[in-house]
Amino acid sequence: MTQVLIIDESSLFREYLSSILEQTGNFKVQAALNGFDGIVKLKNDPPDLIIMSMYLSRDGTREVLAQKKTAPNLVDIPVILLTNKLDAQQTEEFALYRVDKILLKPLKLGLLYHFLNKEFKILLFHDDTVGAIKITVNDSIIFIRVTVALNLNDLDALNFKLKETIELFDLTVIKIIIIMNDIQMTFSEAVNLVRFFQIITAINGIKYQNIKVLSNIAFIQKFLQLNPEVLGISIITTLKGAILMLIDMTDKPVHNKRSNFEIAYSVGINALTEATKNITIAVVSHVPALIETLNGIFQPACVLIKTYATVNEYTNDAQRNLFDVTFLDTEIPTLNLFEELAAFEKRDIKHHIVLMISTKQRELAWNSFEQGITRYVVKPLKSAEVFRQFIQIVYRNF
């Protein structure tokens, strides 16, 4: 039995990774919630493998690695380091600490399995079906978009991904729109579809009547009409119709009671400035007050913010520099949003874009979903809502 020590400050991620490893029957897992806890468990019960986060509080990552490096009985234990972003300087630094592998979150299980097979000769199941389950939140509605097909590894993560999203956005009334257009679905894959809906509806607080499905797949439409396990989940013909059925529900959560640090802490980030110091944000707006607001929101985080008064200025720079997040003001004079989005795609600008819209522009934002822009915030900007969108993009565990 291979013993693994997981050191990560997200309880959901520790639970997820433990379940993935332990269900194979080849691994015994112990978990540590910070650097100090990790050092204690490392010394008291040396594992065969360490999987740890780049960012830890209470004796951080470097201290854990330094303690391991100086102990003869610990120095040869292989280490997998998990991070959301990595630069060349960090890669060189952690090589000195004898880190064997650096993997990015959200974790691609195929890369993890390849390492485990190479290091421990253990064969693990990996579903290489091309497909993805993506989750975003707008107007307190969770949007779940399934593309191409249902991947079994994505299904394993779905429960944890949804719980993390609910915690991050502080959702008390959980409203869900599932978009399943143009995916490959046959009768033989119905068991995966059943599991997909079972995972969603099993989460505490999710009611069938608050779930709407948008799909042009005849099989899915018939499945929702005939399968007794999903009766009560509505299928809607238009995205606008689904949103309008949910957006005006009266019992809405309050989003402004947490500081930026508390929002970050909810998904396992304690060292906020450390975790965000390599992050770059583009702000495209001609309104000084809006730019000032965004600067104030991100002051607690160590991010680099670059501002552009026009889309052309941004586009020219974005072709040379990669931005982790772009906040795009949809009220820039002469802006044709859909032409610009098409131009971004043509020029291979694939930065995560968050639209900043006015209240009357919600339908414009909904229409942009067809072009892959699935995030927006409504002006006047609420600090907590902007920061939540930022965290979900740059610090996803799943």
Side-chain angles (χ1 to χ4, degrees), residues 311 334-346 371:
V311 176
T334 72
L335 171 69
N336 184 313
L337 179 62
F338 299 109
E339 284 185 6
E340 295 297 347
L341 294 179
F344 290 169
E345 185 174 355
K346 186 176 181 180
Q371 291 183 262

Side-chain angles (χ1 to χ4, degrees), residues 33 115 170 184 293 299 320 325 334 350 388 396:
L33 53 85
F115 177 86
D170 199 19
Q184 301 169 9
T293 297
Q299 189 174 7
R320 299 187 300 269
V325 188
T334 72
K350 296 180 179 178
R388 284 181 168 95
R396 290 176 296 158

Side-chain angles (χ1 to χ4, degrees), residues 11-23:
S11 58
L12 279 174
F13 186 77
R14 295 195 305 270
E15 183 184 349
Y16 163 69
L17 194 52
S18 296
S19 68
I20 291 294
L21 295 175
E22 288 181 338
Q23 71 184 2

Side-chain angles (χ1 to χ4, degrees), residues 17 43 74 81 135 145 153 182 193 217 225 231 264 315 317 343 372 384 393:
L17 194 52
K43 290 182 175 180
L74 305 177
L81 194 63
I135 295 180
R145 184 186 292 265
N153 293 134
D182 304 315
L193 195 60
I217 308 299
Q225 292 167 354
L231 288 179
T315 302
D317 207 7
I393 292 170

Side-chain angles (χ1 to χ4, degrees), residues 39-202:
I39 291 171
V40 171
K41 288 178 177 173
L42 178 61
K43 290 182 175 180
N44 289 343
D45 189 11
D48 302 299
L49 171 68
I50 302 167
I51 303 177
M52 63 188 298
S53 171
M54 172 81 79
Y55 310 110
L56 299 172
S57 62
R58 290 202 67 195
D59 295 334
T61 304
R62 290 168 180 81
E63 181 60 26
V64 175
L65 293 173
Q67 295 264 0
K68 171 186 172 294
K69 186 178 178 180
T70 56
N73 65 323
L74 305 177
V75 67
D76 291 326
I77 298 173
V79 175
I80 297 176
L81 194 63
L82 304 176
T83 184
N84 292 87
K85 187 174 181 179
L86 189 68
D87 61 28
Q89 182 179 347
Q90 287 176 313
T91 303
E92 293 175 4
E93 176 188 1
F94 285 105
L96 298 175
Y97 285 113
R98 301 186 65 172
V99 170
D100 296 80
K101 191 75 175 177
I102 299 177
L103 297 177
L104 293 176
K105 287 184 179 180
L107 184 60
K108 290 182 173 58
L109 290 181
L111 298 176
L112 174 63
Y113 290 173
H114 177 76
F115 177 86
L116 294 175
N117 183 29
K118 180 181 177 182
E119 192 73 27
F120 300 103
K121 309 302 182 206
I122 295 174
L123 291 174
L124 300 169
F125 169 76
H126 171 60
D127 185 3
D128 57 5
T129 301
V130 177
I133 301 174
K134 300 180 180 178
I135 295 180
T136 55
V137 176
N138 296 293
D139 279 313
S140 301
I141 300 172
I142 298 174
F143 292 82
I144 304 175
R145 184 186 292 265
V146 181
T147 58
V148 185
L150 285 170
N151 178 287
L152 294 180
N153 293 134
D154 281 338
L155 282 177
D156 284 338
L158 179 59
N159 172 57
F160 301 96
K161 187 184 296 189
L162 273 171
K163 287 179 178 177
E164 180 181 65
T165 301
I166 292 165
E167 170 69 14
L168 173 61
F169 284 86
D170 199 19
L171 301 177
T172 54
V173 177
I174 304 168
K175 302 167 286 183
I176 296 176
I177 294 176
I178 300 169
I179 303 172
M180 306 182 79
N181 287 329
D182 304 315
I183 69 169
Q184 301 169 9
M185 185 60 62
T186 63
F187 180 79
S188 63
E189 294 166 313
V191 64
N192 293 340
L193 195 60
V194 171
R195 185 180 169 207
F196 172 78
F197 282 102
Q198 285 177 334
I199 290 170
I200 294 171
T201 55

Side-chain angles (χ1 to χ4, degrees), residues 48 54 63 66 99 212 221 229 287 299 331 353 378:
D48 302 299
M54 172 81 79
E63 181 60 26
V99 170
K212 311 300 175 187
Q221 295 171 358
E229 297 185 52
V287 181
Q299 189 174 7
E331 293 188 297
I353 296 175
V378 181

Side-chain angles (χ1 to χ4, degrees), residues 157-364:
L158 179 59
N159 172 57
F160 301 96
K161 187 184 296 189
L162 273 171
K163 287 179 178 177
E164 180 181 65
T165 301
I166 292 165
E167 170 69 14
L168 173 61
F169 284 86
D170 199 19
L171 301 177
T172 54
V173 177
I174 304 168
K175 302 167 286 183
I176 296 176
I177 294 176
I178 300 169
I179 303 172
M180 306 182 79
N181 287 329
D182 304 315
I183 69 169
Q184 301 169 9
M185 185 60 62
T186 63
F187 180 79
S188 63
E189 294 166 313
V191 64
N192 293 340
L193 195 60
V194 171
R195 185 180 169 207
F196 172 78
F197 282 102
Q198 285 177 334
I199 290 170
I200 294 171
T201 55
I203 293 176
N204 188 39
I206 295 182
K207 300 177 180 179
Y208 280 48
Q209 62 265 33
N210 292 353
I211 302 174
K212 311 300 175 187
V213 178
L214 179 67
S215 179
N216 57 11
I217 308 299
F219 176 83
I220 294 175
Q221 295 171 358
K222 187 170 291 187
F223 173 87
L224 288 168
Q225 292 167 354
L226 301 178
N227 195 308
E229 297 185 52
V230 294
L231 288 179
I233 296 177
S234 303
I235 189 155
I236 305 297
T237 56
T238 67
L239 180 62
K240 179 180 177 180
I243 294 173
L244 290 177
M245 291 182 72
L246 297 175
I247 200 171
D248 291 328
M249 295 177 67
T250 55
D251 187 10
K252 294 183 178 179
V254 177
H255 280 326
N256 292 314
K257 292 189 176 180
R258 291 182 180 179
S259 68
N260 284 353
F261 175 79
E262 289 169 324
I263 292 169
Y265 182 79
S266 70
V267 292
I269 312 173
N270 281 324
L272 183 58
T273 56
E274 176 72 14
T276 58
K277 70 180 182 182
N278 295 314
I279 302 300
T280 57
I281 294 176
V283 178
V284 189
S285 176
H286 68 298
V287 181
L290 190 61
I291 295 169
E292 184 179 346
T293 297
L294 286 165
N295 278 317
I297 290 170
F298 292 106
Q299 189 174 7
C302 187
V303 301
L304 174 65
I305 298 179
K306 298 191 70 174
T307 60
Y308 303 89
T310 68
V311 176
N312 281 340
E313 290 178 17
Y314 164 73
T315 302
N316 291 334
D317 207 7
Q319 288 182 284
R320 299 187 300 269
N321 300 293
L322 176 65
F323 296 104
D324 296 286
V325 188
T326 295
F327 288 94
L328 174 61
D329 185 358
T330 56
E331 293 188 297
I332 293 176
T334 72
L335 171 69
N336 184 313
L337 179 62
F338 299 109
E339 284 185 6
E340 295 297 347
L341 294 179
F344 290 169
E345 185 174 355
K346 186 176 181 180
R347 299 187 188 191
D348 202 30
I349 297 174
K350 296 180 179 178
H351 306 169
H352 293 284
I353 296 175
V354 181
L355 301 180
M356 299 184 290
I357 66 171
S358 64
T359 303
K360 63 183 180 182
Q361 288 184 308
R362 277 191 169 92
E363 192 164 345
L364 175 74

